[in-house]
Amino acid sequence: MTRSFLTLADLSRDELARLIERARELKVQHRRGERHTPLAGKTLAMIFEKSSTRTRVSFEAGMAHLGGTAMFLSPRDMQLDRGEPVEDTARVISRMVDAIVIRANSHAMIERFAAHSRVPVINALSDRDHPCQLLADMQTWVEHRGPVAGKTAAWIGDGNNVCHSWIEAARLLGFHLRVATPKGYGPDAAIVREAGKSVSLGHDPATAADKADLIVTDTWASMGQEEEKTKRLRDFAGYTVDAALMRRAKPDALFMHCLPAYREHEVSSEVLDGPQSVVWDEAENRLHAQKALLEFLLK
Ligand code: CP
Ligand code: NVA
């Protein structure tokens, strides 16, 4: 059966743990300059309905490292944009390539695509979640602080796609996630329900950050929400992760952000560029974690 990766919950706890370990091995191998080309002759198609820096570069470079080829497809230049159905596009492309990465406006589009694809489909961000980001984030947390089970992370800001994937990670890996959002910006109720006791919701950043092992945030206006930006800047006042908020967490707490970051909005420059921030490792680990994912889905 074709395995796709549409949400983090598509992996079992063991599979996720193994992927994180494999990503760490691939990182060491890459640093040593060792060649490892298990995907020689394989092709990856990448459809991006929205902008990307990290996701596109990491998949394209990762596929090259593994011996395969990646092709970037903009829907604007495809027949999709002239009305060819997603289902037909999936049937056609999946007869020609070995896996398909999609960054889409709507999660339902990726699900429809996957339902008609013969090959694995990878969610490279949708309005619902961003599972590839969490592979890298969990790798980064483990690298810096060891096993994450039993620890506490605080999500400060918008209950968005990345927040949803953090909630799924908490459930799978056994850490607790405190989510602090302004009223009306909480995460999806079904995803929260599914996570049970792994997640708690609130509206006070300081309470969420109290003695936390890690603080994580993301932009207040995701791609597609540009028109709400002015209102959101108002509604999220008081949710900036700054040095005072970091001081509420444990002294060795890490700061994470999937990037791109908007300095002095969701995070102060002092925190983003400060000693507790691991955002550049997080970004680099997109490469290693997605190579582990490609190996897992394609080998
Ligand atoms: N974090 C992330 O997915 O970045 P890009 O939008 O640059 O791919
Ligand atoms: N929540 C952000 C993440 C960007 C990587 C967005 O969807 O735009």
Side-chain angles (χ1 to χ4, degrees):
M1 204 192 81
T2 304
R3 278 293 288 274
S4 280
F5 182 62
L6 305 193
T7 82
L8 206 63
D10 287 342
L11 298 175
S12 69
R13 180 178 305 243
D14 285 353
E15 285 169 342
L16 177 55
R18 276 207 304 277
L19 274 187
I20 294 168
E21 279 318 299
R22 185 62 186 145
R24 297 181 69 191
E25 286 167 15
L26 289 171
K27 185 172 185 173
V28 171
Q29 206 173 53
H30 180 65
R31 294 248 163 110
R32 287 198 190 121
E34 286 168 19
R35 270 175 69 78
H36 171 64
T37 55
L39 303 188
K42 305 263 190 209
T43 308
L44 178 69
M46 309 194 300
I47 302 174
F48 280 81
E49 290 184 348
K50 301 181 184 188
S51 309
S52 170
T53 297
R54 281 143 286 270
T55 308
R56 177 180 176 180
V57 174
S58 53
F59 268 116
E60 209 160 317
M63 199 60 190
H65 295 172
L66 295 171
T69 304
M71 70 180 81
F72 175 78
L73 300 165
S74 159
R76 247 180 323 168
D77 307 320
M78 297 170 73
Q79 299 291 2
L80 261 177
D81 213 42
R82 301 181 66 252
E84 185 167 22
V86 167
E87 291 77 3
D88 294 356
T89 308
R91 288 183 180 105
V92 171
I93 297 183
S94 71
R95 285 176 179 235
M96 300 175 181
V97 304
D98 300 285
I100 300 159
V101 161
I102 308 179
R103 172 166 284 194
N105 294 311
S106 111
H107 192 76
M109 180 274 192
I110 306 185
E111 286 178 332
R112 279 164 62 203
F113 199 108
H116 294 85
S117 171
R118 289 183 171 188
V119 300
V121 172
I122 297 171
N123 176 0
L125 183 144
S126 67
D127 54 344
R128 183 189 186 276
D129 37 23
H130 195 3
C132 292
Q133 182 67 48
L134 263 288
L135 297 179
D137 291 0
M138 293 302 108
Q139 179 190 347
T140 308
W141 196 2
V142 170
E143 269 175 3
H144 282 272
R145 294 289 183 263
V148 304
K151 297 216 165 118
T152 298
W155 175 275
I156 310 292
D158 190 17
N160 64 10
N161 45 7
V162 179
C163 177
H164 292 157
S165 292
W166 267 87
I167 293 172
E168 292 187 340
R171 180 173 66 74
L172 279 166
L173 295 180
F175 65 89
H176 187 77
L177 185 69
R178 297 188 198 131
V179 177
T181 67
K183 294 206 172 91
Y185 291 98
D188 179 82
I191 296 174
V192 170
R193 226 181 0 259
E194 192 71 24
K197 291 205 174 87
S198 307
V199 60
S200 50
L201 306 185
H203 303 295
D204 180 26
T207 306
D210 189 47
K211 297 189 184 59
D213 296 287
L214 182 148
I215 295 195
V216 53
T217 188
D218 184 16
T219 180
W220 293 337
S222 286
M223 290 180 275
Q225 297 172 332
E226 288 76 9
E227 282 175 10
E228 298 170 31
K229 192 159 178 188
T230 312
K231 176 173 169 24
R232 282 173 170 264
L233 283 180
R234 267 200 316 270
D235 292 349
F236 283 81
Y239 282 79
T240 305
V241 178
D242 57 14
L245 192 71
M246 286 304 295
R247 278 196 293 274
R248 315 258 336 180
K250 287 191 180 153
D252 69 342
L254 299 176
F255 172 74
M256 284 202 190
H257 189 312
C258 64
L259 306 178
Y262 299 87
R263 285 172 163 82
E264 318 313 338
H265 288 178
E266 75 272 11
V267 59
S268 68
S269 298
E270 189 183 2
V271 169
L272 188 72
D273 300 324
Q276 288 168 278
S277 170
V278 291
V279 299
W280 314 117
D281 290 341
E282 214 184 327
E284 177 189 333
N285 285 340
R286 297 293 304 278
L287 170 70
H288 311 298
Q290 286 156 204
K291 282 168 73 178
L293 176 70
L294 289 167
E295 221 185 42
F296 170 74
L297 293 175
L298 286 177
K299 242 169 62 175

